[in-house]
Amino acid sequence: MALARTGNPQQVPARVNGVIADGTDTPTIYVNATTLQRYWPQAWEPDGLTILVHPNEGVDDQHAKTVLDDLLSDVETGSISSWNRSDNADDYEQVIGFLQLGVTVTAILLLSVSAIGMINIGLAGIEQCSHELLIRRALGATRASIAIQVIGSSVLLGLIIAFAAVLISAVLVWAIPWMMPADSPLEPPAYPYTAAMIAACASIVTSLVGSLAPAIKAIRLQPALALR
C-alpha cells in the first residue's frame, strides 16, 4: 500500500502485514513500522498530543496533569507545555444538584401518593373481607395475627414489585454497553447497588405505612358482628 499525508504529493510504500476487523466501523491495518520510520521519520516526532481523560471521582485537573506529565517524563518525550480542558462539567454541578433535589422531592411526593392510595385500597379491601376476618376472630384468632395478615400481604406485594423493578433496571444497565459505540472512551456504567437497595427499602416502607390504617381497622372489628 502507499501512504501519503494530506496536501503532500509524496507517497511512502508500506507492506501490509495484516488486516483485522474487530467489529468497529473501519478495519485495523498493520504495516511495517520500519518502513514508515525510514521513509516517514516525521511521524515519530509529533509536535502535539491530544489525550482524552475520563478521571474518576475525586481526581481534579491538576492531578490528571501531573500524572500525564510524569508519564511523558518516564518515556523521555518532554513535558506538557499547554493544557486545555474541552468539557465544562464542573459548570453544571449546581444545576445537577438542583435536579437531584427536584428528583428526590418528586420521589417523596410520589411515594406519599402511593401510600395514600394503598390506604384507600386497603380500607376498601377490609370492608369486603370483613366477614372473613370476623369469622377468624370468632374462632380464636388474635388481633396480632389479624394485623400480621393485613400488613404481611401488603409488604409481600411491595417486595414483589421491588424485585421486579430491580430486575428490569439490572437488565437495562447490562444492555447499555451493547448500545455504546465500539470506540467510545467512556466505560460502561456499573450497576448502582446502593440505589437499588434504597429503592427496595422505600418500596417496603411505603407498603408498611400504607397498610397500618387497614390493619388498625381490621383489629378493631368486633367478633360479635360475625353473628349478623
Side-chain angles (χ1 to χ4, degrees):
M1 65 180 298
L3 302 177
R5 299 180 61 183
T6 303
N8 190 344
Q10 181 182 4
Q11 296 183 352
V12 178
R15 179 181 177 84
V16 177
N17 294 331
V19 179
I20 297 180
D22 54 358
T24 59
D25 296 336
T26 56
T28 302
I29 301 176
Y30 289 89
V31 298
N32 193 340
T34 305
T35 303
L36 292 179
Q37 186 177 11
R38 180 179 178 182
Y39 293 100
W40 197 1
Q42 60 270 23
W44 266 254
E45 298 177 0
D47 56 359
L49 181 65
T50 300
I51 300 178
L52 299 179
V53 180
H54 185 64
N56 296 326
E57 184 178 358
V59 178
D60 54 5
D61 293 349
Q62 186 61 35
H63 189 186
K65 182 179 179 181
T66 302
V67 172
L68 292 176
D69 204 357
D70 293 340
L71 291 175
L72 294 177
S73 299
D74 292 340
V75 296
E76 299 180 355
T77 57
S79 60
I80 299 176
S81 59
S82 63
W83 174 272
N84 295 320
R85 181 168 177 171
S86 59
D87 69 311
N88 53 354
D90 294 340
D91 298 337
Y92 294 96
E93 288 185 356
Q94 185 176 1
V95 178
I96 294 175
F98 179 77
L99 292 176
Q100 290 177 343
L101 178 60
V103 171
T104 302
V105 173
T106 303
I108 294 175
L109 293 177
L110 290 175
L111 291 175
S112 301
V113 173
S114 300
I116 294 174
M118 293 183 63
I119 291 174
N120 294 331
I121 296 175
L123 292 176
I126 295 299
E127 289 290 342
Q128 295 180 358
C129 64
S130 59
H131 190 68
E132 290 81 358
L133 294 176
L134 288 172
I135 292 177
R136 285 199 61 196
R137 289 280 289 128
L139 293 177
T142 62
R143 294 184 176 181
S145 63
I146 296 296
I148 292 175
Q149 176 185 352
V150 176
I151 297 176
S153 60
S154 179
V155 172
L156 179 61
L157 178 61
L159 282 174
I160 295 175
I161 295 176
F163 176 78
V166 170
L167 182 61
I168 294 174
S169 64
V171 172
L172 292 177
V173 172
W174 174 79
I176 288 179
W178 299 93
M179 297 182 290
M180 296 175 61
D183 56 348
S184 175
L186 300 178
E187 296 182 359
Y191 185 77
Y193 294 99
T194 303
M197 292 296 297
I198 293 175
C201 293
S203 176
I204 296 174
V205 171
T206 303
S207 303
L208 181 62
V209 173
S211 62
L212 290 179
I216 294 175
K217 182 177 180 179
I219 63 178
R220 288 184 176 179
L221 296 174
Q222 299 298 324
L225 298 177
L227 301 176
R228 293 185 179 180

